[in-house]
Amino acid sequence: MLKLFKIAVLAFTLLFFNQVSAGESTVGNNLPVLEILKWKSKENVSDDNMIKAVADMTDDLRSLKGFLQQTLYKSSNGEWIDIYYWVTEEDAHASSAGMADKKSFKNLIDFIEPESITIEVIHQLQSSGSFSFK
């Protein structure tokens, strides 16, 4: 079930957030890069507290080069899925250094089970629709 949910979230994201027509290859085009973080929260962390912590951190992310937007999801098994949209893969990777000393980042990390964190940076290769970031 979890694998199906992950596939559904990824499929939705790739289908909805793009900038090309159906069937066209996007290799070499200037499309957003997705950074997908997944984690489980520590016990006794409410959804409201997690959402606020992510929102506070997103405010700081807005000052970083290449940041486009962020979207937070939570699966039925309690796994949080946070998708960040960046101009380039380099921008996505540089965000870690840019956030390391921010209070908002440290506050969020206090809510997360460290061993549960996974990070993927992915590139769009095909899409059936269009979307643009403003």
Side-chain angles (χ1 to χ4, degrees), residues 89-118:
E89 182 173 350
E90 292 75 22
D91 295 336
H93 290 299
S95 68
S96 297
M99 292 300 294
D101 65 343
K102 303 282 188 202
K103 182 179 178 184
S104 63
F105 175 73
K106 292 173 184 171
N107 290 341
L108 176 62
I109 292 300
D110 286 343
F111 290 154
I112 295 174
E113 289 291 344
E115 68 280 354
S116 71
I117 300 171
T118 64

Side-chain angles (χ1 to χ4, degrees), residues 45 50-51 84 93 111 114 127:
V45 173
M50 184 63 77
I51 291 166
Y84 297 89
H93 290 299
F111 290 154
S127 178

